[in-house]
């Protein structure tokens, strides 16, 4: 384990070249026969899938098919929904996250989330990024400072905002706000980032920047992204999962899904014949 | 035909608006004329600096400070009671309570504000004061403590209800963002939701203060009628409003200087509530801009 931490690249390369069931291939997220209900409505109808570390996985499918519902299971965000109930097992890093004694706050530090509409806090840019650290009770100014700067640098926002960190996060443009939200998530150092249509409210240039960012983040994080944009899915993801009416129709390497889908429904959807 | 109908409705609405404005202006006008006459006989300086208020005695003093201190003291006690309770209730209702509970409790709380204040006044006098005397034997029969506490209970809904509206209006996306970063409910409430709703909360506090300052019956019944410049909550005091009631109900000659004191007192009260209401209006406007 320690070796991996010190020199991940080298170890990965070594493992990759030796066996396929290497450390890198053990699933980061694993679900077994997941079913979700909202009151009587069966929103997810038995989905099993496993997501590998340091990959980008895209969830696609027509509106209302359950992409958001499924994604929000991974950080237990559905817990707040009235009438929500769940059956099945979800493991993250090998741990069942719906077990009784699980600390939900700890889980969410490990599994960050970026939302559809940029939602910075009505606080300064600095305080937005520092928020996650402050609520953990971290007082070390130097550490907070460093983490804020490095997070803003990672999302490419540093040069744009370094002179007005005291300005309200709400004063930024939509695209900048979304990058601020990503920086805020990165600052807590999660290992998984969930993104629910993170670019659907943004202009093409901001979208391109975020796609570029996702591509880079893959080095360090496991990313699951919901998108309605087929080009986006094919550009940035390694794996694509196609959902339809609460079921996982097809889950495969993105290349295969887009060039050679196994199911007719998948093909119809990605070629725009329905949905 | 339809046009005439619309015209009639429009004129009626306009007339009602004009009547309201006219009445308000009329009140201010009468208040000012009587007050000006008062101040032609008593200097404003004495009015603002004299520490005694004895217009009905042979040795007359016209210092508003004792009445003002009575008003501010009872209001301060009321806010000290209403603020923590009202805020706690609003945060609980908005962030913790199940939807159904919130829906049921909010109107019930608002009932508190619709109990006739004379009932509160007697409650303060015959229940709260004797109860408190069990702990503080020196407590006078009339005192600002009981009046203030009971007035505080009365204004709880001003704070809880308006603050709750403000908290509830904070976009759900901010809650999600905070929870999503591993914040607890408590952290989210105090570090994100309350600051985001702060202007609405401040407005609720100002309105509650304004209501407390203008409250008459409770203080007239339970706080006594002895103008006294003091911060001691255990002794009888008199508020501006209670004084106005006292003179209005008494047998003071209309048009006399004694009679005009109530207008001088009234305009002082009006100035305070007017400033507070203007302040809350300003804050509310700024707050609307922020969310638009
Ligand atoms: N809070 C809720 N209460 C009841 N039903 C819900 C709730 N949230 C979602 N649903 C239902 O569950 C189904 C799946 O919703 P979900 O939001 O996961 O779809 P989605 O694939 O993300 O759609 P979109 O692409 O429009 O975002 C839908 O039929 C929706 O109506
Ligand atoms: Mg969705």
């Amino acid at each position: 384990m320690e070796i991996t931490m010190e020199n991940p690249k080298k170890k990965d390369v070594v493992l990759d070249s030796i066996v396929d069931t290497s450390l890198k291939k053990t699933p980061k997220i694993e679900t077994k026969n997941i079913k979700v209900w909202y009151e009587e409505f069966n929103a997810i109808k038995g989905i099993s899938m496993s997501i590998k570390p340091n990959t980008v996985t895209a969830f696609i499918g027509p509106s209302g098919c359950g992409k958001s519902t499924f994604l929000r299971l991974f950080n237990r965000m559905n817990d707040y929904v009235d009438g929500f109930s769940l059956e099945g097992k979800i493991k993250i890093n090998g741990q069942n996250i719906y077990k009784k004694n699980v600390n939900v706050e700890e889980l969410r530090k490990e599994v960050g989330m970026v939302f559809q509409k940029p939602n910075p806090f009505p606080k300064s840019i600095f305080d937005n990024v520092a928020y996650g650290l402050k609520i953990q009770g971290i007082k070390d100014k130097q550490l907070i400072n460093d983490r804020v700067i490095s997070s803003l640098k990672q999302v490419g926002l540093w040069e744009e905002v370094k002179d007005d960190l005291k300005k309200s996060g709400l004063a930024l443009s939509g695209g900048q706000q979304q990058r601020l939200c990503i920086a805020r998530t990165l600052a807590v150092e999660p290992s998984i980032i969930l993104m629910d249509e993170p670019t659907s409210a943004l202009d093409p240039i901001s979208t391109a920047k975020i796609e570029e960012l996702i591509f880079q983040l893959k080095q360090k994080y496991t990313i699951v992204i919901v998108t309605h944009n087929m080009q986006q899915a094919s550009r940035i993801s390694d794996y694509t999962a196609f959902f339809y009416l609460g079921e996982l129709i097809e889950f495969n390497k993105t290349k295969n899904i887009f060039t050679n889908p196994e199911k007719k429904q998948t093909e119809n959807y990605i070629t725009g014949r329905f949905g | 035909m339809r046009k005439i109908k619309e015209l009639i409705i429009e004129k009626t609405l306009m007339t009602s608006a004009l009547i309201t404005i006219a009445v308000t202006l009329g009140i201010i006008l009468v208040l000012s004329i009587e007050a000006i006459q008062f101040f032609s006989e008593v200097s404003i300086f004495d009015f603002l600096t004299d520490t005694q208020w004895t217009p009905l005695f042979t040795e007359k003093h016209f210092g508003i400070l004792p009445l003002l201190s009575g008003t501010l003291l009872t209001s301060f006690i009321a806010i000290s009671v209403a603020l923590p309770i009202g805020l706690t209730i609003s945060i609980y209702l908005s962030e913790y309570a199940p939807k159904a509970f919130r829906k049921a409790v909010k109107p019930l709380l608002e009932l508190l504000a619709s109990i006739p204040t004379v009932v509160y006044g007697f409650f303060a006098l015959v229940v709260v004061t004797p109860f408190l005397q069990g702990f503080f034997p020196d407590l006078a029969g009339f005192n600002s403590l009981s009046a203030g506490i009971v007035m505080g209970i009365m204004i709880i809904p001003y704070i809880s209800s308006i603050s709750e509206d403000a908290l509830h209006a904070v976009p759900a996306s901010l809650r999600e963002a905070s929870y999503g970063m591993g914040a607890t409910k408590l952290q989210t409430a105090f570090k994100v939701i309350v600051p985001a709703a702060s202007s609405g909360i401040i407005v609720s506090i100002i309105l509650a203060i304004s209501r407390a300052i203008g409250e008459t019956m409770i203080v007239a019944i339970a706080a006594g009628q002895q103008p006294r410049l003091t911060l001691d909550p255990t002794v009888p005091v008199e508020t501006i409003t209670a004084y106005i009631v006292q003179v209005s109900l008494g047998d003071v000659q209309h048009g006399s200087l004694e009679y005009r004191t109530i207008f001088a007192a009234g305009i002082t009260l009006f100035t305070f509530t007017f400033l507070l209401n203007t302040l809350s209006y300003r804050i509310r406007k700024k707050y609307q801009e922020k969310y638009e």
Side-chain angles (χ1 to χ4, degrees):
Chain A
M1 199 59 208
E2 232 157 56
I3 306 165
T4 347
M5 302 273 275
E6 276 169 11
N7 202 342
K9 281 232 171 87
K10 197 172 168 199
K11 175 111 186 190
D12 278 32
V13 170
V14 172
L15 285 171
D16 270 350
S17 58
I18 300 170
V19 271
D20 199 44
T21 53
S22 66
L23 194 67
K24 198 183 166 193
K25 304 295 181 200
T26 52
K28 188 79 184 164
I29 305 175
E30 198 175 11
T31 80
K32 279 214 187 92
N33 200 19
I34 288 294
K35 293 175 185 157
V36 172
W37 286 266
Y38 292 117
E39 309 286 355
E40 301 295 297
F41 176 69
N42 189 190
I44 301 286
K45 299 170 181 160
I47 294 184
S48 305
M49 79 188 307
S50 66
I51 292 171
K52 296 190 176 74
N54 298 83
T55 58
V56 176
T57 302
F59 287 1
I60 61 171
S63 195
C65 67
K67 307 177 296 291
S68 297
T69 299
F70 195 63
L71 185 78
R72 292 158 68 94
L73 291 174
F74 302 157
N75 64 345
R76 294 192 51 169
M77 222 46 183
N78 291 330
D79 289 16
Y80 301 109
V81 178
D82 288 333
F84 163 80
S85 61
L86 171 76
E87 203 177 275
K89 249 193 204 145
I90 301 181
K91 284 186 177 174
I92 285 181
N93 296 333
Q95 304 276 341
N96 179 355
I97 60 165
Y98 280 87
K99 257 202 337 232
K100 263 232 171 73
N101 57 359
V102 167
N103 180 332
V104 180
E105 283 79 38
E106 287 300 323
L107 169 71
R108 292 187 185 139
K109 284 168 201 161
E110 181 70 12
V111 187
M113 185 162 221
V114 177
F115 299 83
Q116 178 168 6
K117 228 182 106 210
N119 54 357
F121 300 121
K123 299 176 185 289
S124 71
I125 292 172
F126 185 93
D127 286 343
N128 258 285
V129 185
Y131 182 77
L133 301 172
K134 287 192 178 156
I135 56 168
Q136 289 181 27
I138 295 173
K139 296 254 157 52
D140 185 345
K141 285 240 169 74
Q142 191 60 45
L143 178 99
I144 294 178
N145 231 356
D146 292 349
R147 200 75 77 72
V148 169
I149 295 173
S150 71
S151 305
L152 285 171
K153 278 184 176 159
Q154 272 191 85
V155 301
L157 205 52
W158 177 245
E159 288 303 321
E160 292 160 55
V161 303
K162 67 178 176 203
D163 294 324
D164 26 36
L165 292 175
K166 289 218 173 77
K167 215 166 69 176
S168 166
L170 293 170
L172 297 172
S173 75
Q176 288 175 321
Q177 285 188 12
Q178 194 62 304
R179 280 185 285 151
L180 178 66
C181 292
I182 297 176
R184 176 176 73 180
T185 304
L186 298 182
V188 238
E189 302 195 319
S191 66
I192 298 173
I193 302 176
L194 310 174
M195 300 184 169
D196 196 345
E197 302 184 43
T199 63
S200 67
L202 304 182
D203 64 277
I205 293 174
S206 306
T207 299
K209 278 192 183 148
I210 291 191
E211 287 184 8
E212 172 65 23
L213 176 60
I214 291 171
F215 200 77
Q216 289 166 12
L217 291 177
K218 191 167 82 168
Q219 313 278 325
K220 279 178 71 183
Y221 306 89
T222 304
I223 296 172
V224 186
I225 177 173
V226 173
T227 177
H228 277 285
N229 181 330
M230 293 307 111
Q231 280 83 27
Q232 182 167 71
S234 63
R235 273 194 302 264
I236 61 175
S237 69
D238 304 304
Y239 292 85
T240 295
F242 172 62
F243 294 78
Y244 186 59
L245 295 179
E247 285 178 273
L248 178 62
I249 305 296
E250 193 167 348
F251 177 43
N252 208 334
K253 288 219 162 85
T254 297
K255 208 171 49 197
N256 297 0
I257 293 271
F258 282 92
T259 56
N260 192 14
E262 281 169 18
K263 301 267 168 57
K264 192 75 191 156
Q265 282 162 308
T266 316
E267 188 182 337
N268 287 345
Y269 182 73
I270 58 174
T271 53
R273 242 166 281 167
F274 83 98
Chain B
M1 196 56 209
R2 178 167 290 168
K3 259 202 172 154
I4 296 176
K5 228 179 178 175
E6 273 190 20
L7 201 74
I8 293 174
I9 292 176
E10 194 192 314
K11 293 290 178 223
T12 316
L13 290 177
M14 199 172 80
T15 316
S16 335
L18 286 179
I19 291 176
T20 317
I21 295 173
V23 170
T24 312
L25 286 179
I27 292 175
I28 296 176
L29 195 70
V30 172
L31 208 55
S32 310
I33 291 175
E34 298 279 353
I36 287 169
Q37 281 179 325
F38 173 82
F39 286 118
S40 69
E41 289 179 61
V42 176
S43 85
I44 291 197
F45 183 79
D46 286 347
F47 182 71
L48 293 178
T49 56
D50 197 330
T51 57
Q52 288 184 57
W53 179 261
T54 55
L56 307 179
F57 294 179
T58 26
E59 205 207 311
K60 293 186 191 318
H61 284 275
F62 298 97
I64 193 73
L65 288 178
L67 294 185
L68 204 55
S69 76
T71 299
L72 295 182
L73 180 60
T74 46
S75 299
F76 176 77
I77 295 168
I79 286 296
S80 312
V81 171
L83 186 60
I85 299 178
L87 269 190
T88 309
I89 292 175
S90 67
I91 292 172
Y92 174 75
L93 286 183
S94 150
E95 303 303 310
Y96 290 87
K99 257 195 212 134
F101 183 79
R102 171 174 173 268
K103 270 203 181 134
V105 165
K106 235 182 137 190
L108 282 183
L109 265 174
E110 283 165 19
L111 270 186
L112 275 184
S114 56
I115 295 176
T117 50
V118 64
V119 175
Y120 276 116
F122 271 99
F123 181 69
L125 186 65
V126 304
V127 178
V128 178
T129 296
F131 174 76
L132 289 176
Q133 276 167 337
F135 300 93
F136 313 105
D138 288 342
L139 191 67
F142 295 107
N143 60 78
S144 42
L145 187 60
S146 312
I149 291 174
V150 171
M151 196 151 79
I153 294 170
M154 180 194 74
I155 60 175
I156 284 174
Y158 285 79
I159 295 184
S160 66
S161 204
I162 301 173
S163 296
E164 203 271 344
D165 288 341
L167 293 169
H168 205 72
V170 174
S173 63
L174 290 186
R175 282 185 192 90
E176 288 201 318
S178 178
Y179 295 147
M181 306 203 55
T184 61
K185 273 204 152 176
L186 196 69
Q187 287 172 327
T188 304
F190 282 97
K191 299 207 159 142
V192 176
I193 310 300
V194 170
S198 58
S199 32
I201 293 174
I202 292 170
V203 165
S204 81
I205 297 169
I206 293 174
L207 285 181
I209 294 176
S210 178
R211 180 71 187 82
I213 287 180
E215 170 50 30
T216 308
M217 224 46 211
I218 299 176
V219 284
I221 294 174
Q225 302 198 331
Q226 301 178 22
R228 190 193 307 249
L229 183 55
T230 179
L231 291 178
D232 181 356
T234 64
V235 296
V237 295
E238 183 163 45
T239 65
I240 297 177
T241 51
Y243 174 75
I244 295 175
V245 173
Q246 186 192 353
V247 172
S248 310
L249 297 180
D251 45 11
V252 172
Q253 184 79 44
H254 264 237
S256 65
L257 180 62
E258 290 83 350
Y259 174 73
R260 290 205 176 105
T261 54
I262 64 177
F263 292 96
I267 211 157
T268 311
L269 189 65
F270 176 74
T271 311
F272 264 84
T273 46
F274 179 75
L275 287 179
L276 286 172
N277 286 352
T278 311
L279 187 64
S280 83
Y281 177 77
R282 287 260 168 99
I283 295 174
R284 216 178 319 179
K285 244 180 98 179
K286 217 170 145 190
Y287 156 79
Q288 275 168 357
E289 277 161 17
K290 203 175 83 189
Y291 272 101
E292 265 160 21

